Structures are given as C-alpha cells and as structure tokens.
Amino acid sequence: LVFTSLSIPYLTDSDAWSEYISDDISHLLLQRNQPLEKDSDEVVVLAQVLAHRENLGFDQLTDLHLLKLNDQKIRSLCHLKQIIDECKTEFLHFEFAPDGRIVILKRSSVEHVTREVCEEHYIREPYVLRDLGTKDDNLNTNARGHEIFSKK
C-alpha cells in the first residue's frame, strides 16, 4: 500500500478540478478545507496499491482517505508508521473514507511482502517520510511523482 499526505499537488495530479471527478476525489477535496486538531496532523491518503499475491483484489483502490488502523485514528504518516511498527495483533485492519471500505492484511507477512514489492518495483526504501519543503533527488516517488510511504 502506498500512502501519502493530502496536498494540492496530489489533487492536481488526480485531476481534482476537472469536470468529472470520482466520489473519492470529491471527498478528498472536502477534506482539504477541514480543520485539523493539531498542527502536526495531516490527511493520509492511500495513493495506490502495488500488486502482490498477498493483496489481490485491493490493486484497484486509490485516492482513499485513511481514517483508522486497528481502530486507532490516523493523525499523520509518522503516526501511521508508528502504529504499524508497534502493532502486536495478528492483522492490520485499515478503514477508509468516504464509504467505509476495509482492508485487512496479515501482519506476519507484511515485512516479507514489502521487501518483495520494493524489489519488483525498484524501490530502494520501503518507507520515505520527509518534509515536503525539502528536495532530495534520491528519494522514491510513486507514479504521480509524490513521495511514498509504502507498506506492502
């Protein structure tokens, strides 16, 4: 799964201001103007799913607002990584808006699958968390040119 934070460049690359937009993009446009509880909070978006036999059926999911992981509200990309790293349950249970879609992944296979997906797609690092104001040409980007935070 490839996550990013909601941003104007992300919405622009998703054609959010075109004549027709999906319900998922429409939801993200509404989220863009919603107040956040803390300055460090951000809207986390599932930008794409890099296909693997362990996530079959999820590869068409895109542009979804991640609300919760294992019933914990997601506050930022860093918070998402922290929850994944500290997870002791058997499954990772992701909940998305706007329509309550659920993705459940087996936690024990996540690290192995992440390595395989990274190798297959020539991604050097499975997690890239950076300040959007900095530029580093060595960092990975997804197909839309956004920074990636990938897990599986």
Side-chain angles (χ1 to χ4, degrees), residues 34-93:
Q34 296 298 317
L36 300 170
E37 291 179 34
K38 297 180 180 179
D39 287 342
S40 59
D41 286 355
E42 56 192 0
V43 175
V44 176
V45 177
L46 174 63
Q48 69 186 94
V49 177
L50 300 175
H52 187 277
R53 67 185 169 278
E54 294 286 328
N55 63 23
L56 289 178
F58 300 133
D59 57 327
Q60 298 301 314
L61 298 179
T62 184
D63 303 324
L64 296 175
H65 176 194
L66 178 61
L67 297 174
K68 295 179 182 179
L69 173 57
N70 293 348
D71 290 324
Q72 293 185 51
K73 181 181 174 185
I74 301 302
R75 304 189 70 85
S76 67
L77 289 172
C78 289
H79 184 234
L80 173 60
K81 184 174 183 327
Q82 177 185 356
I83 292 172
I84 291 171
D85 289 347
E86 295 172 358
C87 180
K88 303 293 185 219
T89 62
E90 185 177 354
F91 296 98
L92 297 172
H93 183 274

Side-chain angles (χ1 to χ4, degrees), residues 84-110:
I84 291 171
D85 289 347
E86 295 172 358
C87 180
K88 303 293 185 219
T89 62
E90 185 177 354
F91 296 98
L92 297 172
H93 183 274
F94 296 87
E95 183 180 333
F96 296 95
D99 56 6
R101 281 181 245 192
I102 303 294
V103 171
I104 299 174
L105 302 173
K106 193 169 185 176
R107 184 184 54 81
S108 62
S109 66
V110 168

